[in-house]
Amino acid sequence: MDKYIDLINQTFDFPTEEFHVEDDQMIFNGIPLMEIIKEYGTPLKLTYLPKISSQIQKAKKLFRESMEKLNYQGKYTYAYCTKSSHFSFVLEEALKNDIHIETSSGYDIPIIRSLYEKGKLRKDTYVICNGYKREAYRRNISDLLNDGFYNCTPILDNLDEIDYYKEHVNQKCRLGIRVASDEEPKFEFYTSRLGIRYNDVVDLYLNKIKDDAKFELKMLHYFINSGIKDTSYYWSELSRFVHKYCELKKVCPELDSIDIGGGFPIKTSIQFEYNYRYMIEEILRTIQRICKEEGVPEPNIFTEFGIFTVGESGANIYSILDLKLQNDKELWYMIDGSFITNLPDSWALSQRYILLAINHLRKEYQRIQIGGLTCDSQDYYNSEIHSFQVFLPKITKQEPEPLYIGFFHTGAYQESLSGYGGIKHCLIPAPKHVIIDRDETGNLKSWLFAEEQSSESMLKILGYK
Ligand SMILES: Cc1ncc(COP(=O)(O)O)c(C=O)c1O
């Protein structure tokens, strides 16, 4: 029978840019994972910081080259959407690349201030404030503007939001309006609840913004929930949005930018194919064509990529604790973690990740189900994107070294969704978190960001201490 490594070699175009095998062990972005496991143990979450910067540079380069090729007249600005990972090490790495920030909560603003105090961002950094805003968020935005963060740009999400800024902001203030896009046809709702109806946008400007010298409407914003995809739905929503931009521009001369949201995908399978360059060029061509038809200058473009920025920097590594054959066919590999609590998207959205064994690669492979530690029957992982099954090396209960497996590209949203450091299903703790970086000479260095969550921290949250 074939070995696990032969299966990988035959199924995919392997090795890849990110994964290869050395001394029978899986290497991820040049990181010898077995060494990390030996040093820190499992369960383990790792963040490989250089990937964050290389992703940002990749997008900036593609936009730059595409704009040059098409002689596009507007400028491109990369903003990072903090909600995909709020960790300080993520933001600090991202901000090394001359980028800007998109926020979604009042609690983001103290993060902005902390980064400013550390000298990681400047007062001219664009802070694009999205979301439905309770009073504290509106207040924090107003305070930020009054303290001289002049490129902080509240994106109006409803018709009344501006009333608060009229009362509380005492500086010149850039504004954006988010329009409510229509959802993908297969979705349960027709129109997004986020943003302002297309038909209300021009009236909002004319009635509440135009004659107020304090405010300048600079940006029209939209976000396509299902991501930037080459589908007729995506292109028709983009066209509708750009037409609205042109209509507004004709009555609002200071308007000069569009924000096309997030939604660039990442590799969730080794076989992933997505032509980033083609998509960027098509987006630019669409905007150019419509602006030309309407006789309007091409707008500056902002993006707010979350998953794309941080997703591929993360990995979750587990040991196989036990094997359980529960009937003649169904063999379970039990991990020292949980899908529901550590990788909630795998449970809630059936999100798949790149899954690879890290050692025992020359063993035969077999079909298994992977089980998490909670008592919930839904805490399992048993399919991959390319096949509705999972294969891992065949091990026995008596292996001298346990089998280690990795779920890769798990860097976005998982901690925020699972409530990092909080109380989770069956009190499964967050795994320890290790950061990996490279020094000036390119050598790897790693350090522990956080130990596995302690029982003391849980007792405190639950009121026992
Ligand atoms: C307004 C807005 N911008 C950007 C993003 C980031 O999307 P992604 O992580 O898919 O790039 C989101 C995600 O929900 C969003 O709601």
Side-chain angles (χ1 to χ4, degrees):
M1 207 197 194
D2 279 344
K3 297 176 187 127
Y4 176 78
I5 187 61
D6 298 329
L7 175 73
I8 299 295
N9 278 319
Q10 285 157 16
T11 316
F12 309 113
D13 209 356
F14 194 88
T16 68
E17 212 185 313
E18 291 171 287
F19 296 98
H20 72 275
V21 172
E22 244 172 70
D23 297 333
D24 292 341
Q25 292 165 9
M26 196 59 72
I27 311 286
F28 170 54
N29 284 312
I31 307 163
L33 295 169
M34 281 306 294
E35 283 179 27
I36 298 290
I37 293 168
K38 286 197 176 122
E39 187 172 349
Y40 298 98
T42 65
L44 170 81
K45 172 104 196 193
L46 70 82
T47 299
Y48 178 59
L49 295 177
K51 191 71 192 184
I52 296 172
S53 286
S54 64
Q55 288 289 93
I56 297 172
Q57 290 304 333
K58 177 174 163 180
K60 283 185 155 194
K61 180 167 182 277
L62 286 173
F63 269 96
R64 188 175 60 244
E65 289 173 358
S66 306
M67 283 176 156
E68 271 166 24
K69 177 174 165 189
L70 300 175
N71 193 23
Y72 189 91
Q73 294 304 305
K75 289 205 294 280
Y76 172 63
T77 303
Y78 191 107
Y80 169 58
C81 148
T82 61
K83 77 189 117 197
S84 50
S85 176
H86 295 99
F87 284 108
S88 53
F89 50 84
V90 169
L91 272 125
E92 289 180 16
E93 179 68 27
L95 283 162
K96 287 178 188 163
N97 298 278
D98 186 23
I99 59 148
H100 300 262
I101 300 293
E102 186 245 358
T103 65
S104 46
S105 151
Y107 293 82
D108 269 311
I109 308 300
I111 293 180
I112 300 292
R113 287 189 182 272
S114 157
L115 289 164
Y116 174 73
E117 274 151 29
K118 285 193 198 156
K120 306 287 177 190
L121 57 72
R122 301 180 308 260
K123 286 202 169 171
D124 66 355
T125 301
Y126 289 104
V127 181
I128 299 163
C129 302
N130 257 308
Y132 190 95
K133 304 174 190 74
R134 291 194 297 165
E135 212 241 327
Y137 193 6
R138 295 177 191 195
R139 188 173 59 238
N140 286 348
I141 292 171
S142 305
D143 290 348
L144 205 60
L145 282 159
N146 292 340
D147 288 345
F149 288 79
Y150 60 91
N151 275 335
C152 172
T153 311
I155 305 293
L156 304 177
D157 193 71
N158 65 46
L159 298 174
D160 302 328
E161 188 181 327
I162 189 171
D163 302 343
Y164 188 93
Y165 308 127
K166 286 195 176 208
E167 210 179 309
H168 295 91
V169 174
N170 48 40
Q171 305 288 319
K172 265 226 152 278
C173 171
R174 300 165 49 89
L175 286 177
I177 295 180
R178 175 166 176 173
V179 286
S181 41
D182 281 349
E183 302 283 7
E184 217 168 3
K186 63 179 185 222
F187 205 63
E188 282 183 58
F189 307 104
Y190 191 66
T191 305
S192 168
R193 72 180 188 288
L194 304 152
I196 287 167
R197 293 165 66 138
Y198 265 83
N199 282 345
D200 290 339
V201 167
V202 173
D203 284 347
L204 171 62
Y205 167 70
L206 294 176
N207 297 337
K208 289 197 173 180
I209 304 174
K210 186 171 188 276
D211 295 328
D212 192 329
K214 203 158 59 181
F215 296 103
E216 262 192 331
L217 179 61
K218 299 294 280 181
M219 176 184 280
L220 198 65
H221 180 289
Y222 92 144
F223 174 64
I224 295 294
N225 194 32
S226 48
I228 299 182
K229 291 197 282 199
D230 189 13
T231 57
S232 55
Y233 159 72
Y234 182 79
W235 299 119
S236 84
E237 279 300 307
L238 178 66
S239 303
R240 186 157 78 113
F241 174 66
V242 180
H243 278 295
K244 183 53 76 175
Y245 172 83
C246 294
E247 183 189 341
L248 192 56
K249 172 79 184 169
K250 287 175 191 166
V251 292
C252 173
E254 66 265 32
L255 184 73
D256 62 11
S257 301
I258 57 171
D259 185 329
I260 58 169
F264 249 10
I266 58 165
K267 298 183 207 84
T268 50
S269 152
I270 293 186
Q271 262 172 346
F272 174 86
E273 269 167 34
Y274 182 88
N275 192 336
Y276 292 96
R277 188 182 292 277
Y278 162 80
M279 288 304 289
I280 292 172
E281 283 187 13
E282 278 310 296
I283 290 171
L284 296 178
R285 275 200 193 93
T286 304
I287 301 170
Q288 250 178 344
R289 176 178 47 79
I290 296 171
C291 287
K292 196 163 172 219
E293 280 163 23
E294 299 253 13
V296 159
E298 292 154 13
N300 301 319
I301 300 175
F302 287 66
T303 58
E304 318 162 337
F305 297 137
I307 294 179
F308 178 82
T309 310
V310 74
E312 293 192 4
S313 68
N316 287 47
I317 295 175
Y318 300 104
S319 315
I320 302 305
L321 293 177
D322 199 4
L323 279 54
K324 294 182 86 181
L325 186 64
Q326 297 300 73
N327 58 32
D328 290 347
K329 281 207 307 249
E330 288 168 356
L331 176 62
W332 288 88
Y333 277 17
M334 304 297 296
I335 57 166
D336 51 354
S338 144
F339 296 100
I340 292 184
T341 69
N342 300 163
L343 294 170
D345 274 345
S346 70
W347 160 66
L349 300 176
S350 294
Q351 174 68 53
R352 301 296 93 177
Y353 296 100
I354 294 175
L355 162 64
L356 289 166
I358 293 167
N359 59 348
H360 292 298
L361 305 179
R362 293 197 171 273
K363 291 223 159 55
E364 288 171 12
Y365 64 86
Q366 64 180 346
R367 181 176 177 195
I368 47 91
Q369 335 274 332
I370 308 176
L373 283 180
T374 70
C375 62
D376 198 304
S377 61
Q378 298 299 315
D379 199 354
Y380 68 87
Y381 194 93
N382 74 346
S383 73
E384 300 213 57
I385 285 190
H386 57 278
S387 81
F388 293 100
Q389 13 191 5
V390 168
F391 296 99
L392 282 176
K394 188 171 184 177
I395 47 164
T396 64
K397 284 190 180 231
Q398 287 84 36
E399 298 295 340
E401 181 176 78
L403 171 63
Y404 297 107
I405 61 170
F407 293 87
F408 297 92
H409 298 178
T410 58
Y413 296 107
Q414 302 317 292
E415 280 74 23
S416 344
L417 291 174
S418 71
Y420 183 73
I423 292 301
K424 303 199 185 47
H425 193 20
C426 291
L427 299 184
I428 305 295
K432 63 172 75 79
H433 199 138
V434 171
I435 316 289
I436 304 179
D437 201 358
R438 287 188 186 275
D439 64 20
E440 309 73 52
T441 53
N443 290 328
L444 287 168
K445 52 180 182 174
S446 69
W447 65 95
L448 188 65
F449 170 73
E451 287 287 2
E452 187 172 84
Q453 191 185 6
S454 66
S455 59
E456 285 76 42
S457 105
M458 296 190 197
L459 290 183
K460 190 150 187 281
I461 295 170
L462 293 170
Y464 292 96
K465 283 200 158 187

